[in-house]
Amino acid sequence: YMEADARELLETVLGLIRELRVDHSVGAMALSCQMAGLVVLDNQGKALFPIILGIDRRGEAYLGDLNRLLGMDQIYGQTGCPAQGTYWPGKWLWLKEKYPRTVVQAAFIMGIKEYLLLQLCGRWDCDYVTASATQVFSQPLGSWWPEMMGALDLHKEQLPTLGNPSDCLGRVRPSIRKRLNLSENMTVLLGAGDGLISSLASDALQPGDLCVSMGTTVVTRYLTSQFLPKVGENAFYQRIDGVSYLKGERVSLAGRRIECMRVRAQGREEPVEQAYYWRGELHGVEKLNAAQQLRALLEGILFDLFHTHGSMVADGKIRRICCSGGGSANSSWMQAMANLFQIPVVVFEDHEILRGLAAIFQQYENPSMPLLGWRPRTVGRVYRPQIDSGLTQRYHPVSYTHLTLPTI
């Protein structure tokens, strides 16, 4: 289980804002956050249970229940969220079984960003991109899905108001403003989930661009004008403005695995995975030293990416990869990606959240400018593809079998 204390998280965020010593000339703020987290509040706005983080998978045990209630094909066709345990419904069903009194007392249900916005300005709103990652939002309707709410015994009044990322929610609460020494005119914008922010920041919104976020999870996204979920597909859809969507896949829980392997390579005692990709096959840890294990893990993640997206490169649908997240700072990893896919890989070196939120601020100041019309002012580092016969030999498409490595 992956949880966080709601009040502790709020105090941490407020502390970070205070450390920034925001000048009084700054007139607006916006937030972005990992999506699919679940926060449950009572009618006084107090958290009834720790925040269930977006990457928490306890809901997987309830996918069968969801299938019996609504059918996973219908759920996917309405929400664009595949059958995974990270979304709200599975987590909510877990709460109903384990903590029924909490569910009875629940007055408000929201994500992490929405909880922080409520504390900052008293508004309880959610952007469409974040709503798309709940499995409770209907993409065709552009609103919360009544059938899912009925299956979960939820009411519309328990869910946030929907809006666009550049919507102004009002001014910061006086008590918070004084505590953080902010301007009296400081306003709060709705902001967006990390998926859209990452795509904006990495400039991956042109035809032929693939955004690859390499952080806690490795996630891919590309822009599409069609919402066409197909039965058996593992892709997700995130609504931007009703005519544009981000389509992508979660490839692996990369960040924690990489960190454990990095620590092991430095000689410290940490738990490690029990098996790794190496030369296109699975080998036990006893056959590899720590550095080889780390290399095998990093290459295995690239092989996962190529397994799911290589055909799109061959068809000319993907012509450039734009990377963001902590993993994009590893230059040898980025070069290996360019070598495997044989297309350029672009990495913007300034902070991705700042770049992505800049697009939202610009649309707030100029509402006539489409959000997707924004472009980063800085030029990213480009990794050009080179011939790496060793890397391609270690990837064997014929014998390759997709494997989800066990969670640490």
Side-chain angles (χ1 to χ4, degrees):
Y1 295 166
M2 299 182 184
E3 301 175 348
D5 181 87
R7 194 69 197 178
E8 183 177 331
L9 176 64
L10 173 64
E11 292 300 320
T12 299
V13 171
L14 295 180
L16 291 172
I17 296 175
R18 184 167 53 248
E19 288 181 15
L20 290 174
R21 298 182 179 180
V22 179
D23 189 272
H24 279 206
S25 63
V26 177
M29 69 167 67
L31 301 179
S32 179
C33 183
Q34 185 183 71
M35 298 182 287
L38 180 63
V39 185
V40 182
L41 306 181
D42 63 14
N43 56 11
Q44 301 298 316
K46 181 180 178 181
L48 293 168
F49 193 83
I51 297 171
I52 303 178
L53 300 181
I55 56 176
D56 184 293
R57 293 176 175 269
R58 73 187 69 189
E60 288 182 351
Y62 298 87
L63 294 179
D65 294 334
L66 288 172
N67 188 44
R68 286 188 291 273
L69 287 168
L70 292 171
M72 292 309 303
D73 291 347
Q74 182 185 197
I75 292 173
Y76 188 40
Q78 280 287 329
T79 68
C81 298
Q84 297 176 356
T86 55
Y87 299 114
W88 283 10
K91 295 171 179 175
W92 183 251
L93 291 177
W94 179 90
L95 279 173
K96 288 185 72 174
E97 179 182 352
K98 306 294 184 181
Y99 296 90
R101 291 185 61 185
T102 296
V103 170
V104 171
Q105 294 176 299
F108 307 104
I109 299 168
M110 61 193 70
I112 298 174
K113 177 171 69 69
E114 293 66 50
Y115 168 71
L116 295 173
L117 291 172
L118 178 65
Q119 306 305 317
L120 283 170
C121 65
R123 283 281 297 272
W124 180 40
D125 295 59
C126 178
D127 65 280
Y128 288 107
V129 177
T130 300
S132 299
T134 64
Q135 212 175 47
V136 183
F137 175 79
S138 169
Q139 303 275 8
L141 296 176
S143 62
W144 298 115
W145 185 23
E147 283 78 3
M148 179 61 83
M149 289 189 290
L152 301 178
D153 295 323
L154 291 175
H155 304 287
K156 187 177 180 180
E157 293 73 24
Q158 293 176 285
L159 300 172
T161 301
L162 296 168
N164 296 306
S166 61
D167 288 350
C168 180
L169 303 185
R171 296 184 181 181
V172 176
R173 284 177 166 175
S175 59
I176 299 292
R177 175 177 55 78
K178 293 177 182 178
R179 179 179 170 185
L180 304 182
N181 192 29
L182 300 175
S183 165
E184 292 185 3
N185 298 318
M186 176 67 78
T187 57
V188 180
L189 306 187
L190 182 52
D194 58 349
L196 175 60
I197 294 300
S198 180
S199 294
L200 286 167
S202 61
D203 195 29
L205 293 171
Q206 300 298 307
D209 286 346
L210 176 69
C211 174
V212 179
S213 301
M214 311 189 82
T216 308
T217 57
V218 172
V219 183
T220 65
R221 304 176 190 87
Y222 61 90
L223 189 67
T224 179
S225 60
Q226 297 178 311
F227 176 70
L228 294 173
K230 299 177 181 178
V231 175
E233 204 174 37
N234 196 41
F236 60 77
Y237 288 81
Q238 294 171 355
R239 179 189 178 106
I240 300 177
D241 53 15
V243 296
S244 300
Y245 302 85
L246 292 175
K247 181 179 179 180
E249 290 190 38
R250 291 171 181 83
V251 180
S252 68
L253 289 172
R256 299 180 68 223
R257 296 191 178 111
I258 293 170
E259 176 61 18
C260 283
M261 285 307 308
R262 184 187 66 80
V263 170
R264 175 65 179 268
Q266 293 174 345
R268 287 159 43 194
E269 290 298 325
E270 291 285 341
V272 299
E273 300 288 352
Q274 298 303 307
Y276 301 88
Y277 283 118
W278 184 248
R279 300 189 184 279
E281 298 177 358
L282 197 63
H283 293 265
V285 296
E286 72 279 356
K287 297 181 180 180
L288 308 174
N289 62 36
Q292 288 174 324
Q293 291 173 25
L294 179 56
R295 176 181 172 181
L297 178 56
L298 294 176
E299 288 186 351
I301 292 169
L302 295 184
F303 294 164
D304 267 347
L305 284 170
F306 193 76
H307 183 64
T308 53
H309 296 84
S311 62
M312 297 181 68
V313 175
D315 294 342
K317 296 179 180 178
I318 295 176
R319 299 184 293 275
R320 184 178 73 153
I321 297 175
C322 304
C323 281
S324 64
S328 66
N330 187 324
S331 58
S332 60
W333 203 17
M334 296 300 97
Q335 185 62 59
M337 183 186 295
N339 296 348
L340 183 63
F341 279 83
Q342 283 296 295
I343 57 176
V345 172
V346 179
V347 176
F348 287 82
E349 296 179 351
D350 52 335
H351 201 283
E352 67 173 278
I353 294 296
L354 297 180
R355 289 196 312 275
L357 290 176
I360 294 175
F361 286 126
Q362 189 163 323
Q363 188 184 54
Y364 168 66
E365 295 177 348
N366 182 12
S368 63
M369 189 202 79
L371 185 64
L372 301 183
W374 181 86
R375 291 290 173 270
R377 296 180 180 178
T378 57
V379 178
R381 180 176 179 180
V382 181
Y383 295 87
R384 303 290 180 185
Q386 303 171 3
I387 301 300
D388 186 343
S389 58
L391 179 65
T392 53
Q393 287 173 6
R394 287 190 291 275
Y395 174 72
H396 300 296
V398 176
S399 63
Y400 181 88
T401 301
H402 182 77
L403 171 72
T404 301
L405 293 175
T407 303
I408 295 174

